[in-house]
């Protein structure tokens, strides 16, 4: 009996030792795994791989990126939420982390309580662009046209529930205009139809849209960041015409809940140090991303506030995981004979193609 009690006590003590912040002094002692809830090649995957190398150099341990796409990033998030709080399984997530808090009525985890925010990596603004055939020459004219002719204009959605989709819904809500959403299974087919004139408008990431705007294939109406972008100094921020509007995708690193403060601080310092490196900053800027160095506390506050920012937009959009196509689209089929997304389009979660 005493032997059983002794064994139980030893096992319990071992668990306490593993979770004790004092054991974090030697962290990391083995490889770190970064889970990404999106497919390889997307922006989230790019951000994870961008920081993996400097983290590995800083810690002297391999930092491995593992893609687990599905359910708008929820599969990877759930795996991290259920992992041991030892700092060896982390999540590189994106705006969907805060959007999903409202979009999914029953998540297998709490987006706030089950995670430890560690560091933000970057923010990525987008452009509101349109086919040059649209008669509006600037954002004020576009809003006036939409007010004069409700539902006459169309806007392509590269992924239902994506930050670009909800940027469009936020814009329409704040400008008090009605434009018909046309959903696609990814940014590429959506962009193809806007370029071809089958659809009028779309929100697109700065890095993807810039070449088409410079070539004259798309007209840029505004940028979603709070301030104008250096690459388009003459292009207004949408917030200049629609006061209070701002919408940027963000990317950051999370751990499971109860991650020891000492490990959080080590990881945050390593990420912030990497973001300050001139070569790292240049690489992110080439991707159209703005480095965003926040403390863990600042990042935690941002996450809570971002959930509140997106909640009314998600509710206003009427979207849910089981409601994939807006009812207003059927009117569009009748009026414009719009074709569905190409059959070869990837069947993965729509938002993974947008991020």
């Amino acid at each position: 009996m005493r032997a059983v009690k002794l064994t139980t006590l030893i096992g319990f003590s071992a668990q306490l030792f593993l979770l004790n912040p004092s054991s974090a002094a030697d962290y990391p002692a083995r490889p770190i795994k970064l889970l990404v809830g999106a497919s390889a090649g997307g922006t989230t995957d790019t951000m994870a791989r961008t920081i993996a190398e400097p983290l590995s150099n800083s810690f002297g341990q391999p930092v491995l990126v593992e893609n687990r796409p599905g359910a708008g990033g929820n599969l990877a998030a759930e795996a991290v939420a259920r992992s041991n709080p030892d700092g060896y399984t982390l999540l590189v997530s994106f705006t969907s982390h805060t959007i999903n808090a409202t979009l999914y009525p029953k998540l297998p985890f709490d987006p706030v309580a089950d995670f430890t925010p560690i560091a933000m990596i970057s923010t990525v603004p987008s452009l509101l662009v349109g086919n040059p055939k649209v008669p509006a020459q600037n954002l004020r004219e576009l809003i006036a046209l939409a007010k004069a002719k409700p539902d006459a204009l169309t806007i392509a959605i590269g992924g239902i529930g994506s930050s670009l989709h909800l940027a469009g819904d936020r814009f329409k809500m704040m400008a008090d205009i009605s434009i018909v959403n046309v959903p696609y299974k990814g940014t590429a087919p959506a962009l193809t139809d806007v370029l071809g004139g089958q659809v009028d408008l779309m929100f697109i990431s700065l890095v993807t849209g810039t070449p088409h705007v410079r070539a004259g294939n798309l007209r840029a109406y505004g940028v979603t960041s709070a301030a104008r972008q250096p690459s388009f100094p003459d292009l207004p921020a949408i917030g200049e015409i629609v006061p209070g509007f701002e919408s940027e995708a963000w990317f950051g690193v999370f751990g499971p809940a109860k991650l020891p403060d000492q490990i959080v601080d080590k990881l945050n310092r390593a990420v912030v140090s990497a973001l300050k490196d001139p070569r790292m900053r240049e690489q992110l800027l080439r991707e159209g991303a703005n480095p965003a160095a926040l403390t863990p506390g600042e990042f935690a506050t941002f996450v809570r506030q971002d959930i509140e920012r997106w909640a009314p937009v998600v509710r206003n959009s009427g979207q849910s995981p089981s409601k994939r196509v807006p009812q207003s689209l059927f009117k569009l089929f009748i009026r414009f004979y719009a074709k569905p997304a190409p059959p070869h389009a990837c069947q993965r979660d729509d938002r993974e193609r947008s991020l």
Side-chain angles (χ1 to χ4, degrees), residues 168-190:
D169 280 1
R170 173 181 281 179
F171 168 66
K172 292 187 289 182
M173 182 173 63
M174 296 182 69
D176 192 25
I177 55 178
S178 182
I179 300 175
V180 177
N181 287 350
V182 184
Y184 290 82
K185 292 185 180 295
T187 298

Side-chain angles (χ1 to χ4, degrees), residues 3-306:
V4 173
K5 289 183 177 180
L6 181 60
T7 302
T8 302
L9 180 60
I10 292 174
F12 181 68
S13 299
Q15 290 179 5
L16 287 178
F17 176 77
L18 288 174
L19 298 178
N20 194 317
S22 63
S23 68
D26 296 329
Y27 174 86
R30 53 188 173 87
I32 299 170
K33 183 164 56 178
L34 301 178
L35 297 190
V36 177
S39 302
T43 308
T44 312
D45 177 72
T46 299
M47 292 298 124
R49 296 180 189 280
T50 299
I51 66 165
E53 183 177 354
L55 287 181
S56 179
N57 294 336
S58 177
F59 291 137
Q61 291 287 346
V63 178
L64 311 174
V65 177
E66 180 178 321
N67 298 89
R68 291 196 188 181
N74 289 335
L75 297 183
E78 182 180 4
V80 172
R82 295 183 176 182
S83 67
N84 291 328
D86 54 13
Y88 292 100
T89 302
L90 305 175
L91 174 71
V92 175
S93 193
F94 49 105
T95 318
S96 73
H97 190 82
T98 48
I99 292 175
N100 288 349
T102 305
L103 183 67
Y104 287 79
K106 292 183 179 180
L107 285 171
F109 54 81
D110 187 308
V112 174
D114 290 339
F115 295 90
T116 301
I118 295 171
M120 186 181 284
I121 302 170
S122 65
T123 60
V124 180
S126 58
L127 296 169
L128 172 58
V129 297
N131 186 282
K133 294 180 182 179
V134 176
Q137 300 296 305
N138 55 55
L139 187 58
R140 292 188 187 278
E141 290 184 7
L142 180 67
I143 293 173
L145 177 61
K147 285 183 179 290
K149 298 181 178 180
D151 289 337
L153 293 172
T154 55
I155 184 167
I157 304 300
I160 295 295
S162 69
S163 59
L164 295 178
H165 167 202
L166 295 182
D169 280 1
R170 173 181 281 179
F171 168 66
K172 292 187 289 182
M173 182 173 63
M174 296 182 69
D176 192 25
I177 55 178
S178 182
I179 300 175
V180 177
N181 287 350
V182 184
Y184 290 82
K185 292 185 180 295
T187 298
L191 175 60
T192 296
D193 276 7
V194 175
L195 290 169
Q198 287 83 10
V199 184
D200 299 315
L201 308 163
M202 74 179 298
F203 277 87
I204 192 168
S205 72
L206 186 67
V207 64
T208 305
T210 293
H212 296 285
V213 173
R214 297 208 185 283
N217 299 321
L218 294 174
R219 177 184 291 122
Y221 288 104
V223 64
T224 63
S225 51
R228 298 190 181 199
Q229 290 295 307
S231 56
F232 287 102
D234 297 328
L235 184 67
I238 294 174
E240 295 177 30
I241 289 85
V242 182
F245 179 89
E246 182 182 356
S247 179
E248 291 186 285
W250 58 264
F251 304 86
V253 184
F254 295 82
K258 300 180 180 180
L259 191 63
D261 291 342
Q262 193 172 353
I263 292 178
V264 174
D265 291 340
K266 281 187 176 183
L267 287 166
N268 180 267
R269 287 198 302 270
V271 173
V272 171
S273 177
L275 294 176
K276 291 180 178 179
D277 183 271
R279 291 174 298 175
M280 174 77 154
R281 295 183 67 86
E282 182 181 353
Q283 182 178 350
L284 288 173
L285 291 172
R286 282 200 306 268
E287 295 289 339
N290 298 310
L294 299 180
T295 66
E298 290 170 339
F299 189 27
T301 298
F302 172 87
V303 169
R304 290 192 296 269
Q305 292 175 344
D306 207 45

